[in-house]
Every structure is written in C-alpha cells, then in structure tokens.
Amino acid sequence: MRVNFSQGSTQSEAQLQSPPLPPSSPYCQILFHFHISAESAGSLRVLMQQAEGSEAILWSRSHNTVSHWTPEHLPIGLHQQPYKVWFSGLSKGTQMDAAAGDDVVAVDDISFLNCENSYQPPALSACDCSFEEPLCVWVQGAEDELDWLSRSGPTETPNTGPAGDHTTSKGNYLYIKSSPPSLKGNMAQLKSPLLPSAGEKGYCFTFWHHMFGATMGSLRMILQTADHLTKTPVWQKSGNQGDEWQLVQIHVTLQKVHQVILEATVGGEAGDIAIDDISLTSGPCPASDLCDFEEGSCNWEQQTTDDFDWVRQSGSTLNPNTGPDSDHTTNTATGHYYCLSSSAADRAGQTARMSSPLYPAGKGACVQLWYHMYGKDVGMLNVYQQSEDGKETLIFSQMGDQGRLWRFAQASLVPRVQPYRIVVEGVKSGPTQEGDMAFDDVHLADAQCPLPGHCDFESNMCSWSNLGGEVDQEDWLRGRGASPNPNTGPSVDHTTNSAHGYYLYVDSSVGESGDTSFLISDVFQPSTRGHCLTFWYHMYGNHVGALRVYMNNRKMHSGGNEEGTLKWLETGNKGDKWQEATVPVQHNESFWFVFVYQRGMNTGGDVALDDITILPGSCYPEPSINPPGDHNNMMSVGLAVGLTLLAGVIISIFLFMLNRRCSTMTRQTTLNDGAVDQNSGLDLFDRVAGISHGTESDFSFFGVLYDPSQHDTDTAVASSEA
C-alpha cells in the first residue's frame, strides 16, 4: 500500500486503518516494512486508538529510508480491550516538489508478534550476543538514519574504531560508520526484544564498547516501556574514551515490560562507535573495586564526628550556579553520586566526612575518584587514608571553583601494616548557596599512581581532559606507536622510547585547516614562587600547524575567554624528534594551563605531547647564597691567593737578579784573573732587596734567614763556586 504525493492531489493526509484488534499480551509487537522515497515526500506515522476513543502516536519518521524496504518492530503492549492501529501518510512537499518525480510513502508485510495472552518470554540469556551471528535476537531501529554494521578487524576510517572484536580479536562486532556519507548528528539504534519486569533483584545488563576518535559522538543506553513507550536514559558516554574496549554494567530494576535500546550518534568523520558481547544475567551486577553508587553506598558510611552528611542523589542540585547536572558514571539525570550542598546557614570550617569499608593492609596502591567543585564559593575537598587505629594521612586536597565539569583525581596510598579506610571530607567555606561539592566513581587500583604533578600517559590521561563542547573541533587522543598518517607524528613515545609507550596526539587527517583541539589541566592554587610547566613535544610533518600554551583563570574564563594568556608558542615542522619546553608562570590567583593545537593546511601535521610536569617553584636553579659563617673563610682564601702571587713575583725577581750577578762575576773573574769585586755584587743585591748596606736587621725570605753581616763571606763563596 502506498501514497503517491506527486499526482497533484490536494489531499495532505492518507490513512490506512486496521480492523478491530483483540486484547493483546504485554509483549505484543507489530512488525511492518516501510519505504519513503525522498526527503520531500512527507512523513509516516503509526497511531493507536483505544476502546474509549483516546488516540496516541506510537511512531513517526520523516526522512527517507536507507534501503528499499526498512523493517520496524513496534511495541504495542498490553491491551485488555479491543483497539485499532492505523498508518498515516502526511504530505509536506509543495506542488513543485511533487512535479519533480514520484514521492512515495509505502507500507507492506504487516504482522503481529507475541500478542497471544498465553505468550511467555524466553529467558534473559536469550538476548546474549557476541555478534558472530549478525544480530542474534536484536533488531535495527527504524526511527534513525543509520544502521549498525557487522565487521571484523579494523574499520575503514583510520585513527578510529577498534582493531578487532572484544571476544577473540578475530571475530565480529557491531559499529556505526562515521565517515561520509554519514553526517554529524546521524543516529543508529539497536533494540532488544521485549523483556519482562526486572523483578525483585533485577538483572545485570553487560556490554563492551569502543569509542576512540578525534570527533567522537555519543553512545547511550535507553529503557523503553512497552505500554506508553516511555524512554528513560540510564547510561551515556560522549567524546573520546581511548583506544580500548571498555566494560559497562548496568543493574536494571524497571518493574514493567520493556526493551533495551543502544543508541549511537555520529560526532564527526572520525567517530566510529563499536559494541560487542552483550549479556543479561539475573540479579545485581558483581562487586568490583569501583564504587559508582548506582546501587547504594557500597558500604561507605557517614562519620558521626562531623557537622553534615554527604547525600546520595541524582540529577542536578537544588542551588543555582553550582553543583553537577548529572552523575559521572552514566552521565544521565538518573545516575547517582554523593553531594554536599551549601546553604546560607553554613559556617566556615564545617565538615562532612564519609569513609569507605575497611580494606586489607596490602590492598591497592592508588585511589582514584571523580569530583565536582563548581561555584564561586566552593570550599575544600580532602581525601585521607585512615588506619584502623584512627591515624590519618592527607593524600589529596583541592579547593575553590574547579569549573563546571567532573574532574579526575588520583593519589598514592601510603604502605600500611594495618587495615585502612579512605575518607572523603568536604570543608565548607562559609554562608553561601554557590558552594556545592560532589564525588563519584571511587576506584582502588593496584597499579601505582603517577608522581604528583607529572603525567606520562602510560595508564590514562591523569587529570588532563579534552574541552569538548562547541569550543574546539577535535579531541586530543591517547595513542602509541607510529601515526597511521604518513610522514608525520612520532614513532615512539618519550617516556619509554618505544612503540609500546603512550603519548597524546592530534590526528591531522581529521577536520579542516584552522580547527583547534583544547587540552585542559587541573586548577592550581597560587604560589609565591610561581609554577614551572615542563613538557616534551613532537612536531613533525610538512603541514604542522601551531601549538600554544595558555594560562587561564576564573576571571578571564567567566568573561568568555576559553584560552587565557599566551605563554608559549611553536609553529611548523621541528623534525622527527622529541623536544623539551619549559614555561615559568607567576600568578596571584588560582589558574590552569590550556594546550591548544591549531591544525595546519593539510594532512601531515600531527603534533604530540608527553611527560608533562607542573611543579611549584622556579624553572631555573636559584643563585647560591653563602652562609654568614663562610665570610671569613672567603677572606682567608683571598688573602692566601694574594700572598701566593706576591711570593711568586719576588722569587722570580730574585732568581733573575741572582742569575745576572753570577754572569757578571764570571766575566770579571776571566778579566781580572779571579779578582772579585765584592762591593758591586753586594750593592746590587741590597738594592733589589730594599736593604741598606751595613744595617743590622735580618730579612726573612720564605724561611731563609738573610744576615747582612754574613753577606760578604757568602758572596765570596758564591763567587768562587761560580
């Protein structure tokens, strides 16, 4: 059945109505195939009329179909009274559009599935799928523009998508193709069969996803009820998540017949999103070293010696201009986190403390968590390691406004011989309604944390993050080995000098000339000695653009300046080598660093960063200052050097004159048959020594005592020897 809007009809709608349908089970679905020939043709809707006369739109689509015929599985849900369904074709084209060709909306092969009241759904495990068989029991959505595609090995687009599936690395997975003809904003949906109520204990929905690329879009999980088709997002991730498969576990507790929808949206031409290994198991998800607070407190407890309690909540906080809008785990309004709200009755120094369960002494080397500190009067967030006997060690502290985003923190644990707890403490700044704080996703990791102020990107991006949003166009990526783009980028990282080490880079094959990529640091507190930023950069290729380092603060940022003050700039090809840069900064208020790469004219301009260090103090050695006690020593050394030089001069003169006198006496001996003129030799020596002839004084010359009274005898002896 079809509607042809090109025949000049003035009719704007055509309806195709079902006969009266009998009562149906909660799992009833209508399966139909449809076709929309062109964008101008119009739209297709499915509506339902219940016995009491009420109408509801169940489904609609206005864009043309990708393939010739597109199937759709549409839940109808439980009906205890007869009802009707009809298809509505609406024209939205003009007469000029109609004259251009056949604009057709068509439907075919309508059937009803699982509508008998006796129908019982299969076990949850029937929905498990590793995608070695194309879709298993899952189906493509039809309200979207794209389909999920099955693939093995890497995707077609370089620098995005996985290298292989998650199951065996050689099997199949599903992905959305982000490169042309796909457009930014295009969407693909994958739908499960209708599932029964989750029951008292619920079920754990598990899948693996891969989201790696410079222009990554979003992936979310939606629960849609069968009765009123209510959609509830329960998990979402946006932007680049790294070149690895990551696990997602969601405990579903919905007490209605429903279906799971996995929905991916294109963010740009380098944003392939992949999924694999879906499984559903009865009961809650297994415990892990990560606590996301979705199911409760994970046995974290409020301390009783503080002034306030941390509160587990979802969505945005009540106070304006502060607090998060969603949790970090799911990035939705339904996800949970712990929050410390601010109020006008607060007093400076008041605290709220929450402690983890008791961990064994040898467990964990690094604690990681995400925190949110947004608002002009935010106080301080402290993290302690508390021994079983109550002794505490401060391992992390942050204060003040950190911006409107979740930030990452990690701190090394102190080796303990006793079991210990992690304590999160919020300290209020005073009476305010713009000082909310929150924390989420606490993880006890066995791997060592990076050194404070240093990030080598070997395990993650530390506290560095992409800006995202509409400010920049591409993300910084964490990668290793050689760039897939020829004649550009590093082949090894700087830390390990190997193809196995990680670094951050910008993919120059994505985007257009002038596109920017922002990398944001943590917020740093003022230091009278300033701070020193040291990093290694790699700029190799014929079309390398410009790498800049800015320092920003809250005043500039609130005025709309995303970059800040320029502190360092390098442009162009610097050769296939890592180079070090040092940037000293002075500041009077809290600040953060911003790396900005501006893309060059063409592909062949990858830029990379590694081993970033930010430490308080000067970048250059301080001039040495001698202690007061060294003053006399320096004078003694100077005097000794002076006397040594003077002695050298006197010895030289003495030897010169002695040699000259001996020469003269030799000539006189030859001429006078051995007669010696003693007076002439004596007068000469005395003049040189500055001693008058015939005086009684002695002259000490480096330990040799000179006596004028013995001079004549000595001279005679010397003359004879000569």
Side-chain angles (χ1 to χ4, degrees):
M1 302 294 291
R2 78 178 199 172
V3 181
N4 192 336
F5 290 112
S6 63
Q7 294 179 341
S9 172
T10 58
Q11 188 176 0
S12 60
E13 181 181 10
Q15 292 186 356
L16 177 67
Q17 192 173 84
S18 74
L21 301 171
S24 62
S25 77
Y27 303 95
C28 183
Q29 288 182 292
I30 180 172
L31 169 61
F32 62 95
H33 296 71
F34 69 97
H35 174 70
I36 302 175
S37 64
E39 290 290 342
S40 61
S43 63
L44 177 66
R45 299 188 302 169
V46 180
L47 300 92
M48 181 176 64
Q49 184 181 54
Q50 296 180 322
E52 65 273 16
S54 61
E55 296 180 359
I57 299 175
L58 302 182
W59 180 93
S60 67
R61 174 160 169 163
S62 58
H63 51 274
N64 64 303
T65 51
V66 177
S67 57
H68 184 66
W69 287 100
T70 300
E72 174 65 303
H73 294 74
L74 180 62
I76 298 296
L78 176 66
H79 289 279
Q80 297 177 340
Q81 301 292 330
Y83 63 98
K84 290 183 179 182
V85 170
W86 73 88
F87 291 86
S88 169
L90 292 173
S91 172
K92 65 176 182 179
T94 64
Q95 292 297 325
M96 186 177 297
D97 295 328
D102 289 341
D103 290 346
V104 174
V105 174
V107 295
D108 200 5
D109 290 332
I110 302 172
S111 59
F112 291 83
L113 307 176
N114 309 325
C115 295
E116 304 84 6
N117 286 321
S118 60
Y119 174 80
Q120 292 297 319
L124 289 172
S125 59
C127 294
D128 293 358
C129 191
S130 63
F131 301 108
E132 300 311 312
E133 299 176 7
L135 295 180
C136 307
V137 297
W138 293 73
V139 297
Q140 303 276 3
E143 293 177 88
D144 49 14
E145 299 86 3
L146 300 177
D147 281 345
W148 288 90
L149 306 175
S150 177
R151 191 174 182 88
S152 63
T155 62
E156 299 172 358
T157 310
N159 266 351
T160 187
D165 80 324
H166 172 261
T167 316
T168 65
S169 298
K170 299 179 181 179
N172 294 327
Y173 59 89
L174 293 189
Y175 83 107
I176 64 163
K177 183 179 178 180
S178 60
S179 55
S182 298
L183 301 174
K184 182 177 181 179
N186 283 175
M187 181 181 66
Q189 290 185 337
L190 186 69
K191 297 182 177 182
S192 74
L194 286 175
L195 302 171
S197 166
E200 182 181 353
K201 295 183 179 180
Y203 66 89
C204 182
F205 184 89
T206 301
F207 71 101
W208 292 80
H209 71 85
H210 191 285
M211 300 175 66
F212 173 67
T215 54
M216 185 56 57
S218 64
L219 175 65
R220 64 176 184 163
M221 173 180 166
I222 300 169
L223 298 181
Q224 177 175 270
T225 59
D227 50 5
H228 299 99
L229 300 183
T230 303
K231 293 183 178 181
T232 305
V234 294
W235 178 90
Q236 178 172 306
K237 275 286 183 287
S238 300
N240 172 53
Q241 302 297 316
D243 190 7
E244 59 187 1
W245 287 99
Q246 297 186 12
L247 175 66
V248 179
Q249 294 180 313
I250 302 294
H251 186 200
V252 178
T253 57
L254 185 60
Q255 300 301 310
K256 291 183 177 181
V257 175
H258 63 281
Q259 68 180 162
V260 176
I261 302 175
L262 295 177
E263 179 182 278
T265 304
V266 175
E269 60 187 281
D272 291 355
I273 298 174
I275 58 173
D276 201 2
D277 292 334
I278 296 174
S279 69
L280 289 75
T281 54
S282 298
C285 297
S288 70
D289 291 333
L290 169 68
C291 182
D292 56 18
F293 305 115
E294 294 307 309
E295 305 303 321
S297 67
C298 304
N299 295 320
W300 282 62
E301 296 179 346
Q302 307 284 347
Q303 293 197 351
T304 58
T305 56
D306 52 6
D307 305 294
F308 292 94
D309 283 345
W310 290 90
V311 177
R312 178 175 171 267
Q313 69 174 62
S314 59
S316 59
T317 59
L318 297 177
N319 294 324
N321 304 317
T322 188
D325 295 324
S326 64
D327 75 324
H328 175 263
T329 314
T330 70
N331 194 28
T332 67
T334 59
H336 292 84
Y337 58 92
Y338 270 93
C339 178
L340 177 60
S341 297
S342 55
S343 75
D346 292 344
R347 298 195 307 274
Q350 288 181 316
T351 63
R353 292 168 61 91
M354 196 169 180
S355 59
S356 73
L358 199 63
Y359 296 117
K363 181 177 178 59
C366 179
V367 62
Q368 302 171 337
L369 60 86
W370 291 83
Y371 66 94
H372 198 286
M373 299 174 70
Y374 166 59
K376 66 182 183 69
D377 297 318
V378 170
M380 181 182 297
L381 182 72
N382 298 320
V383 180
Y384 298 92
Q385 183 179 356
Q386 183 188 70
S387 297
E388 191 175 18
D389 60 7
K391 293 181 180 178
E392 290 185 341
T393 301
L394 180 66
I395 57 175
F396 174 81
S397 184
Q398 187 62 275
M399 64 182 296
D401 182 8
Q402 303 296 306
R404 196 169 188 172
L405 73 162
W406 285 97
R407 289 194 175 272
F408 179 72
Q410 55 186 352
S412 295
L413 295 170
V414 180
R416 295 290 190 189
V417 296
Q418 295 183 4
Y420 66 92
R421 294 180 172 87
I422 303 299
V423 178
V424 178
E425 176 188 63
V427 183
K428 300 204 171 191
S429 64
T432 180
Q433 289 184 309
E434 295 187 32
D436 294 358
M437 288 182 276
F439 72 94
D440 198 3
D441 292 335
V442 184
H443 181 217
L444 208 61
D446 292 327
Q448 295 289 337
C449 290
L451 295 173
H454 176 74
C455 190
D456 57 17
F457 306 107
E458 292 307 306
S459 57
N460 52 43
M461 290 178 63
C462 307
S463 56
W464 292 88
S465 59
N466 285 293
L467 180 60
E470 300 298 325
V471 177
D472 60 355
Q473 288 77 39
E474 288 95 38
D475 282 348
W476 288 82
L477 307 175
R478 178 174 163 265
R480 59 180 172 176
S483 169
N485 302 321
N487 302 317
T488 188
S491 56
V492 297
D493 77 324
H494 175 262
T495 312
T496 68
N497 194 34
S498 73
H500 302 291
Y502 286 88
Y503 55 86
L504 294 189
Y505 73 101
V506 175
D507 179 11
S508 63
S509 68
V510 179
E512 301 175 353
S513 174
D515 282 358
T516 56
S517 300
F518 282 64
L519 186 68
I520 311 297
S521 78
D522 249 345
V523 177
F524 294 89
Q525 301 305 318
S527 170
T528 55
R529 298 181 297 153
H531 276 78
C532 180
L533 165 67
T534 303
F535 61 95
W536 291 82
Y537 66 96
H538 192 284
M539 300 176 69
Y540 169 56
N542 294 329
H543 301 286
V544 173
L547 179 63
R548 297 178 173 89
V549 177
Y550 296 89
M551 185 182 76
N552 207 341
N553 58 38
R554 297 184 183 98
K555 183 176 181 181
M556 288 187 287
H557 189 260
S558 61
N561 187 344
E562 293 287 351
E563 295 96 348
T565 304
L566 182 65
K567 293 295 181 180
W568 183 89
L569 168 65
E570 194 64 86
T571 61
N573 185 4
K574 301 303 173 186
D576 188 7
K577 59 183 178 180
W578 286 99
Q579 303 190 69
E580 186 179 24
T582 301
V583 182
V585 296
Q586 296 291 333
H587 43 81
N588 298 318
E589 56 184 305
S590 300
F591 74 99
W592 60 91
F593 287 106
V594 184
F595 282 90
V596 180
Y597 178 63
Q598 188 171 21
R599 188 181 182 275
M601 295 297 294
N602 290 300
T603 301
D606 289 5
V607 66
L609 295 173
D610 203 0
D611 292 327
I612 303 177
T613 302
I614 304 171
L615 295 174
S618 172
C619 292
Y620 312 104
E622 299 288 344
S624 59
I625 301 174
N626 296 309
D630 289 348
H631 181 67
N632 293 334
N633 294 336
M634 293 298 294
M635 291 186 63
S636 300
V637 172
L639 181 60
V641 172
L643 290 174
T644 301
L645 293 174
L646 178 61
V649 171
I650 294 174
I651 290 173
S652 299
I653 295 174
F654 173 77
L655 293 175
F656 172 76
M657 297 309 298
L658 182 61
N659 179 61
R660 183 174 179 180
R661 176 181 174 278
C662 291
S663 299
T664 303
M665 290 176 65
T666 301
R667 288 194 299 271
Q668 289 176 345
T669 301
T670 304
L671 295 172
N672 300 324
D673 297 322
V676 179
D677 184 357
Q678 298 176 356
N679 291 333
S680 63
L682 177 63
D683 291 342
L684 179 61
F685 186 87
D686 287 348
R687 284 196 300 272
V688 172
I691 303 174
S692 300
H693 181 65
T695 62
E696 298 294 324
S697 61
D698 293 341
F699 177 72
S700 177
F701 193 85
F702 286 94
V704 177
L705 189 64
Y706 170 67
D707 184 356
S709 64
Q710 302 296 324
H711 184 270
D712 293 343
T713 304
D714 296 338
T715 306
V717 173
S719 299
S720 300
E721 292 174 351

